[in-house]
């Protein structure tokens, strides 16, 4: 009987490593979880990207319609603005054009989060196929199960809201950029990867740094193809440069300053006001607090402090295999560049006011989870199947309380 159960589980993981099945598994899981907070097609009162998409469709940059909540919106010259970069609203424009601002951000997030799992399935297949990271199909399926249900991704996926929409879309764009760098060839690989990283940058600005790995990979793969490589580099950098200029212009038109996002004018929680007045939005002052709540703090037993975050590695111990990947492959330049991508993306996160509050788990670490999961795969290929299975189970079990807590908060 035990052998039969192990065989069924093994076949399930082999199915899960296929992108289509990964998508379906994640979609069913996240859709069911979304019902814990109410109607899965509901619209949250902070679905602000819907309102910005509506504004864009009507040719303006400030909100044409006022949401029921204005928390975290920026008020300038009597108008409401979003301080988040605008790419999610641009992506939502066709949906808002069809369904209006009542388009469900909950369902949209469930769908995007499911695409994230499918993209990671395709990416793990791709790195194995080209020999960058060797990991067998069953272990790939196990890592995808872990990512789907045993990381902070499971908290962001089912409950809508503007903050989570931005992070989920940012993850999707970064994952597609990594996949495009591997799967496409020639100028197309540079250009498409550049577009995707630029779109990620206009979703969450610091996601630009996740582009370090695909940039290095493309350069290394095409290094002997000069002088065409120089044209390829221009093709890759041009979208980032153009979209960066457009973003600066967007800020200038809104606030008269290309470097003003609207943070100075936003309706922040009283929890942050005193620190913001003293230290601003980015400061070394926030470093110890962010390090503690993202890497050290354990959210059990449950208390008010639980919602400040939680340790990336204690809540998702499978990620400890990333260290094994670095130790075993430290001479591999592709592994080194994954580490650099993570560290560079982490710097603005660690200097940012707040920890992602209110949250369960280290929400901001999702921004570098694409390279982190690849590093984890590099280490997990040497893992004991039994130990890996237990660590996945522990990760999933530790996120179950967070799911129900969030469901109660979001009723």
């Amino acid at each position: 009987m035990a052998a039969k159960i192990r065989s069924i589980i093994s076949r399930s993981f082999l199915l899960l490593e296929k992108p289509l099945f990964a998508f379906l598994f994640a979609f069913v899981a996240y859709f069911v979880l979304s019902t814990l907070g109410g109607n899965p097609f509901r619209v949250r009162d902070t679905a602000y990207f819907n309102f910005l998409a509506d504004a864009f469709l009507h040719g303006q940059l400030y909100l044409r319609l006022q949401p029921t909540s204005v928390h975290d919106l920026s008020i300038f010259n009597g108008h409401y603005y979003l301080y988040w970069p605008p790419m999610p609203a641009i992506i939502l424009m066709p949906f808002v054009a069809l369904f209006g601002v009542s388009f469900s951000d909950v369902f949209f997030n469930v769908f995007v989060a499911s695409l994230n799992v499918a993209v990671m399935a395709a990416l793990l297949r791709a790195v194995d196929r080209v020999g960058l990271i060797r990991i067998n199909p069953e272990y790939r399926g196990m890592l995808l199960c872990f990512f789907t249900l045993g990381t902070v991704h499971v908290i962001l996926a089912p409950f809508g809201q503007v903050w989570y929409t931005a992070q989920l879309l940012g993850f999707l764009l970064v994952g597609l950029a990594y996949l495009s760098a591997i799967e496409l060839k020639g100028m197309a690989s540079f250009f498409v990867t550049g577009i995707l990283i630029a779109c990620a940058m206009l979703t969450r600005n610091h996601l630009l740094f996740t582009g370090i790995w695909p940039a290095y990979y493309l350069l290394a793969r095409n290094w002997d193809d000069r002088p065409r490589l120089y044209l390829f580099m221009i093709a890759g950098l041009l979208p980032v440069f153009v979209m960066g200029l457009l973003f600066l212009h967007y800020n200038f038109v809104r606030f008269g300053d290309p470097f003003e996002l609207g943070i100075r004018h936003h309706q922040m929680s009283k929890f942050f006001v005193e620190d913001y007045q003293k230290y601003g939005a980015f400061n070394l002052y926030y470093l110890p607090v962010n390090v503690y709540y993202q890497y050290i703090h354990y959210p059990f037993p449950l208390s008010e402090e639980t919602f400040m975050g939680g340790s990336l590695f204690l809540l998702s111990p499978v990620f400890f295999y990333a260290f094994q990947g670095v130790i075993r492959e430290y001479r591999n330049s592709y592994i080194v560049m994954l580490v650099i991508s993570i560290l560079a993306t982490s710097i603005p996160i660690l200097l940012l006011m707040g920890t992602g509050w209110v949250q369960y788990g280290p929400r901001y670490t999702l921004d570098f989870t694409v390279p982190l999961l690849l590093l984890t795969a590099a280490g997990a290929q040497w893992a004991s199947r039994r130990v890996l299975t237990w660590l996945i189970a522990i990760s999933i079990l530790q996120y179950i309380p967070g799911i129900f807590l969030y469901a109660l908060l979001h009723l």
Side-chain angles (χ1 to χ4, degrees):
M1 177 64 72
K4 183 176 289 187
I5 292 173
R6 284 195 296 270
S7 176
I8 292 172
I9 294 173
S10 179
R11 288 199 299 271
S12 298
F13 285 137
L14 288 173
L15 274 178
L16 189 55
E17 73 92 23
K18 304 178 190 300
L20 178 59
F21 284 96
F23 172 83
L24 293 173
F25 169 74
F27 183 80
V28 171
Y30 293 151
F31 185 83
V32 170
L33 291 176
S34 74
T35 65
L36 296 175
N39 186 329
F41 299 103
R42 65 194 182 279
V43 187
R44 301 305 308 280
D45 58 0
T46 57
Y48 298 146
F49 286 124
N50 287 5
F51 289 84
L52 185 58
D54 169 80
F56 289 165
L57 288 167
H58 289 84
Q60 61 190 55
L61 303 182
Y62 56 85
L63 301 191
R64 186 179 71 95
L65 305 173
Q66 182 174 322
T68 55
S69 167
V70 295
H71 170 66
D72 247 9
L73 289 178
S74 299
I75 301 178
F76 183 72
N77 287 341
H79 298 297
Y80 287 105
Y81 296 88
L82 276 65
Y83 69 83
W84 302 276
M87 186 53 64
I90 294 171
I91 293 171
L92 280 163
M93 285 173 67
F95 302 103
V96 172
L98 287 172
F99 304 107
V101 294
S102 60
F103 177 67
S104 173
D105 61 321
V106 173
F107 183 78
F108 180 75
N109 282 13
V110 165
F111 185 80
V112 171
S114 305
L115 285 178
N116 288 344
V117 178
V119 168
M120 285 309 305
L123 183 56
L124 288 173
R125 278 186 154 196
V127 294
D128 178 71
R129 189 185 67 255
V130 300
L132 288 170
I133 297 171
R134 293 294 187 185
I135 183 164
N136 69 49
E138 184 178 354
Y139 274 37
R140 294 200 296 268
M142 293 172 80
L143 287 180
L144 287 164
C145 179
F146 158 69
F147 170 65
T148 305
L149 298 174
T151 70
V152 75
H153 190 262
V154 73
I155 299 294
L156 276 60
F159 300 117
Q161 301 203 90
V162 63
W163 308 277
Y164 306 163
T165 299
Q167 283 202 263
L168 293 169
L169 276 173
F171 185 100
L172 177 62
L173 292 163
V174 171
L176 288 171
Y178 278 55
L179 188 61
S180 298
I182 296 171
E183 297 286 12
L184 300 179
K185 307 299 179 186
M187 185 175 290
S189 63
F190 282 79
F191 186 62
V192 173
T193 301
I195 288 175
L196 289 165
I197 289 295
C199 289
M201 177 184 70
L202 292 194
T203 302
R204 290 174 65 77
N205 293 152
H206 56 275
L207 292 182
L208 173 66
F209 299 116
T210 63
I212 292 172
W213 187 87
Y216 177 80
Y217 176 78
L218 289 171
L219 289 172
R221 191 176 69 180
N222 294 275
W223 193 251
D224 296 328
D225 195 16
R226 286 167 287 181
R228 288 206 306 170
L229 176 60
Y230 303 126
L231 293 175
F232 294 170
M233 291 171 63
I234 293 171
L237 290 171
L238 188 61
V240 177
F241 181 74
V242 170
M243 289 196 193
L245 288 178
L246 288 174
F247 182 61
L248 294 177
H249 180 68
Y250 171 71
N251 290 333
F252 179 78
V253 172
R254 295 190 303 162
F255 303 116
D257 181 346
F259 300 103
E260 174 57 56
L261 305 177
I263 293 177
R264 284 192 300 169
H265 310 290
H266 91 283
Q267 310 301 295
M268 68 183 71
S269 169
K270 293 179 181 178
F271 184 82
F272 299 114
V273 171
E274 184 177 349
D275 281 347
Y276 178 76
Q277 290 173 345
K278 289 181 180 178
Y279 305 106
F282 289 90
N283 196 291
L284 281 170
Y285 169 81
Y286 304 118
L287 180 62
V289 173
N290 285 326
V291 168
Y292 176 74
Y293 283 111
Q294 292 177 23
Y295 296 101
I296 300 171
H297 172 64
Y298 191 61
F300 300 103
L302 299 177
S303 67
E304 288 185 7
E305 199 177 9
T306 294
F307 294 103
M308 294 294 291
S311 169
L312 172 67
F313 296 104
L314 293 181
L315 285 175
S316 301
V318 176
F319 281 138
F320 277 116
Y321 283 113
F323 295 105
Q324 181 165 290
V326 174
I327 292 168
R328 285 181 171 268
E329 300 282 347
Y330 71 93
R331 291 189 179 91
N332 184 331
S333 61
Y334 294 114
I335 296 297
V336 172
M337 286 299 155
L338 287 173
V339 174
I340 292 173
S341 297
I342 292 169
L343 293 176
T345 308
S346 297
I347 291 171
I349 291 172
L350 292 173
L351 299 180
L352 178 65
M353 174 183 68
T355 63
W357 180 90
V358 172
Q359 65 179 33
Y360 180 94
R363 176 163 73 87
Y364 289 155
T365 64
L366 185 73
D367 293 341
F368 54 75
T369 293
V370 172
L372 178 60
L373 199 60
L374 292 179
L375 271 186
T376 304
Q381 60 185 309
W382 290 289
S384 155
R385 182 180 282 100
R386 176 174 292 181
V387 172
L388 181 58
T389 301
W390 274 107
L391 291 178
I392 291 170
I394 290 169
S395 301
I396 294 172
L397 287 171
Q398 291 189 114
Y399 270 99
I400 288 174
I403 293 167
F404 283 96
L405 283 172
Y406 260 54
L408 289 173
L409 284 174
H410 296 154
L411 281 173

